[in-house]
Amino acid sequence: MSVSHILFKDTHRHTQPLSLSLHHCVSMLSLVLQTDYYYEYTECDSTGSRWRVAIPQSHGSCIGLPEPVRGTECTFSCEAGEFLEMSAQECTQCAAGTYSLGSGIRFDDWETIPSGFSSLATYLDNGPHGDDSTTCNSSSWFPQGSYLESNRDECTVSLIYAVHLKKPGSVSFDYQYPDGNLFFEFFIQNDQCQEMDQTADKKWLKLTSHGEWATHTVNLKSGTNILYWRTAGILIGAKVVKPVLLKNVHIEGVAYASECFPCKPGTFSRTPGSSSCQPCPRDTHSGHGASSCTPCNTTTLYAPEGSAECKARPPCSKKDYFQIHTPCDLEGKTQVTYRWVEPQICLVDVPGAETLPPSGDREPCPPCNPGFYNNDTATCSPCPPGTFSDGVKACESCPAGTEPAVGYQYKWWNVLPTSMKTSCFNVGNSKCDGMNGWEVAGDHIRSGAGGSDNDYLILNLHVPGFKPPTSATGGAGTEFGRISFEFEMVCTADCELYFMMDVNRKSTRVVASWEGGKVRQSYTHIMTKNASVSYTWAFQRTNQASDVIHQPSRHLPG
């Protein structure tokens, strides 16, 4: 369209002064030339070259668009922290508040399902179910802010994403898969719907410990790759299936980033050329595309690390403190004291707030656990090889013709044994900051307060191997060792206790689980092979506070 044509139509229709019409026309022409098109590359030809062409933003005349020019080589890519500025065809640093992976893309913001992802649901059984297929219309993967959550029903739901790679690359993602009643597979097809060859352990995802994230990585070929994350539930009675969680999808192999991604809320990138965004420190927050974090007014507000907003500090409650037994002193005394959960976010000096209870009286320490002795000191030490003790008496040599029954036996819980660890995991985050999952309480160990009712309270025991008695004979089904424990579950709401094991750090599986309140009872698991094993107790409550008491009693032999 020429300037004279615009002037003629403008003056003919609106009878405006010529000078105004000319200004109006020049602005329109400038708009067409600067913002009504974008650049793309053509497909690479057999010589490995391509052209940069201008594409109109909307259908219409192509007159006035820049002429095609020769593009960069097909093997060209930008470094992390850069994007390809198409006007100059040069790699340019990302601005502060944004980031780029160079030859990769990452999805870590799940407030909504990102563009390009789709969720497709079908019924698991293709048999004559009448209208059953329509019941899957609402089944989907659901965005939960920092992760995606799968369906919990019997529908088969696929999360699908297609990506075209200019060179061989990979895809990796973090996931939680705690429930074997839900099938979870990840597979890849090309643009001809041909499935990529994958071993079973690459296609079928392994179960994870409750509350823990695992990372899965698969190599991708150049060309089109269609990625599928597929789940399907098998409902048993009224039992609720725990969903699969997915986050941090990272794909490598794209030729270049055409733009930089803004930092998601709760993160920032301070300097230009960033390849990632950093979480905001505790008690600060940020919005979308931030280059810095804004402090909270910590008098009345707080924010965990990586927060998009500040939250009001609540009045302190009984969930904000926990009790500990002090280590035995030189006089063999201990006492119960109370400490605030760190970092303390609650307010004490407000109406209705709880205060720390006073410390208890100093009491005699419990005896050492069997197999240990204190020799009139404050510390329990293991008995020398070939000797034994009930924890009260001094270590004695075994009678002739006998040998010690080697193992751990925990009856007293004044301090956590060195072979045990405790932690607290939250579904949305890696763990509950600053909190122990379990607390020692004299003659038992019990679940702690946690940060919320949906936290997993974890107790882990590592056994490096077993030493069966010399009298034991080999053969199939030989008992190399056993673990026995007594427990009680006192729940005012829904709760569940999982007992899991991980042999030689290969995979974690649930050995047994219990739901709801349980009277004091014992459980024994037999080890039929000699291996390094980690035992884990994971307790989760919902809706309201509840408690569980757990007391491992004996591991033989060990």
Side-chain angles (χ1 to χ4, degrees):
M1 182 181 293
S2 66
V3 173
S4 60
H5 191 188
I6 298 175
L7 284 173
F8 172 76
K9 294 179 73 175
D10 223 10
T11 55
H12 176 72
R13 291 183 178 182
H14 303 290
T15 64
Q16 295 176 348
L18 182 60
S19 59
L20 179 61
S21 297
L22 180 60
H23 178 266
H24 179 63
C25 296
V26 171
S27 297
M28 286 182 63
L29 185 61
S30 175
L31 185 65
V32 169
L33 293 179
Q34 293 182 12
T35 63
D36 275 7
Y37 65 89
Y38 60 95
Y39 289 118
E40 275 193 3
Y41 282 130
T42 62
E43 289 294 324
C44 295
D45 59 25
S46 58
T47 65
S49 61
R50 56 188 173 184
W51 293 80
R52 188 200 70 180
V53 296
I55 310 295
Q57 293 281 9
S58 57
H59 296 293
S61 173
C62 294
I63 297 176
L65 294 177
E67 295 292 329
V69 299
R70 185 170 293 278
T72 59
E73 294 297 318
C74 292
T75 56
F76 178 86
S77 63
C78 293
E79 297 294 327
E82 299 178 337
F83 73 102
L84 183 61
E85 201 286 306
M86 293 291 282
S87 296
Q89 298 194 79
E90 293 179 351
C91 292
T92 305
Q93 279 194 335
C94 292
T98 67
Y99 75 97
S100 162
L101 302 176
S103 62
I105 50 178
R106 180 190 296 133
F107 299 97
D108 56 7
D109 188 355
W110 306 99
E111 293 295 336
T112 59
I113 293 185
S115 176
F117 283 84
S118 60
S119 192
L120 177 65
T122 57
Y123 198 75
L124 181 64
D125 190 345
N126 294 324
H129 286 280
D131 294 333
D132 277 352
S133 60
T134 62
T135 63
C136 292
N137 290 343
S138 59
S139 297
S140 175
W141 285 76
F142 302 100
Q144 299 290 354
S146 59
Y147 57 89
L148 278 180
E149 181 179 292
S150 77
N151 60 309
R152 299 168 180 246
D153 51 33
E154 291 182 287
C155 299
T156 300
V157 182
S158 297
L159 180 70
I160 306 169
Y161 183 76
V163 62
H164 187 78
L165 301 188
K166 298 293 185 181
K167 55 186 177 183
S170 64
V171 56
S172 66
F173 54 89
D174 296 337
Y175 70 95
Q176 280 189 25
Y177 178 28
D179 196 333
N181 290 318
L182 196 70
F183 291 121
F184 181 33
E185 60 176 328
F186 173 70
F187 61 95
I188 303 143
Q189 291 180 344
N190 60 20
D191 53 3
Q192 304 299 317
C193 294
Q194 297 169 328
E195 188 170 333
M196 188 180 86
D197 289 336
Q198 287 179 265
T199 57
D201 64 332
K202 286 292 185 181
K203 181 174 181 179
W204 296 97
L205 280 298
K206 296 178 181 178
L207 288 170
T208 61
S209 298
H210 289 263
E212 292 185 318
W213 293 93
T215 300
H216 189 71
T217 303
V218 177
N219 292 329
L220 300 176
K221 296 179 180 179
S222 59
T224 299
N225 292 268
I226 307 172
L227 314 178
Y228 292 83
W229 292 266
R230 179 178 291 171
T231 56
I234 299 179
L235 302 187
I236 302 175
K239 181 177 175 63
V240 177
V241 175
K242 293 185 180 295
V244 171
L245 308 183
L246 176 69
K247 69 175 183 179
N248 295 340
V249 178
H250 185 154
I251 302 172
E252 282 286 344
V254 298
Y256 59 89
S258 57
E259 60 181 349
C260 298
F261 297 98
C263 293
K264 69 176 182 178
T267 67
F268 73 104
S269 65
R270 191 183 307 278
T271 58
S274 295
S275 59
S276 63
C277 300
Q278 304 302 313
C280 286
R282 187 181 306 281
D283 290 332
T284 68
H285 70 286
S286 72
H288 201 65
S291 58
S292 63
C293 300
T294 304
C296 301
N297 178 0
T298 54
T299 303
T300 57
L301 303 174
Y302 79 100
E305 183 183 81
S307 293
E309 60 183 2
C310 300
K311 300 178 181 179
R313 292 184 179 272
C316 289
S317 69
K318 292 181 179 179
K319 292 178 62 176
D320 292 307
Y321 63 80
F322 61 96
Q323 74 168 35
I324 62 169
H325 283 69
T326 60
C328 290
D329 59 24
L330 295 177
E331 298 179 7
K333 298 290 181 100
T334 182
Q335 68 179 150
V336 173
T337 62
Y338 297 87
R339 293 181 184 175
W340 293 113
V341 171
E342 295 291 343
Q344 184 182 348
I345 63 171
C346 63
L347 297 174
V348 178
D349 300 325
V350 295
E354 291 276 347
T355 57
L356 278 182
S359 298
D361 296 332
R362 295 175 69 241
E363 300 175 349
C365 290
C368 296
N369 279 308
F372 289 77
Y373 73 103
N374 61 16
N375 198 23
D376 295 327
T377 64
T379 304
C380 293
S381 304
C383 286
T387 65
F388 71 102
S389 170
D390 60 0
V392 178
K393 300 176 183 178
C395 298
E396 303 177 45
S397 299
C398 289
T402 65
E403 63 178 332
V406 182
Y408 298 131
Q409 187 173 358
Y410 300 130
K411 296 174 60 177
W412 304 105
W413 301 87
N414 193 54
V415 295
L416 196 68
T418 55
S419 56
M420 278 188 163
K421 295 180 180 178
T422 180
S423 58
C424 176
F425 287 100
N426 182 274
V427 171
N429 305 304
S430 60
K431 59 183 179 180
C432 325
D433 289 343
M435 295 185 181
N436 284 334
W438 295 66
E439 300 167 0
V440 293
D443 64 351
H444 66 276
I445 184 170
R446 63 190 181 194
S447 62
S452 71
D453 286 341
N454 289 318
D455 291 337
Y456 288 97
L457 306 176
I458 306 295
L459 180 67
N460 178 267
L461 169 67
H462 179 65
V463 180
F466 297 89
K467 183 182 179 182
T470 54
S471 58
T473 57
T478 297
E479 177 183 323
F480 279 91
R482 64 172 57 194
I483 177 170
S484 300
F485 57 90
E486 296 179 3
F487 68 97
E488 177 182 2
M489 296 170 67
V490 183
C491 303
T492 57
D494 295 335
C495 65
E496 192 160 5
L497 174 66
Y498 304 91
F499 174 58
M500 299 173 285
M501 62 181 294
D502 183 341
V503 177
N504 293 333
R505 298 184 178 180
K506 288 186 176 180
S507 63
T508 300
R509 68 179 181 90
V510 176
V511 178
S513 63
W514 301 267
E515 295 182 49
K518 299 294 180 187
V519 298
R520 190 180 183 95
Q521 57 188 274
S522 62
Y523 177 82
T524 298
H525 174 72
I526 306 296
M527 282 294 295
T528 57
K529 67 177 181 178
N530 196 354
S532 173
V533 59
S534 288
Y535 297 107
T536 301
W537 294 264
F539 177 68
Q540 185 187 43
R541 61 176 182 267
T542 57
N543 302 322
Q544 298 178 24
S546 56
D547 199 17
V548 61
I549 296 175
H550 152 82
Q551 182 182 347
S553 58
R554 184 179 294 272
H555 310 260
L556 292 175

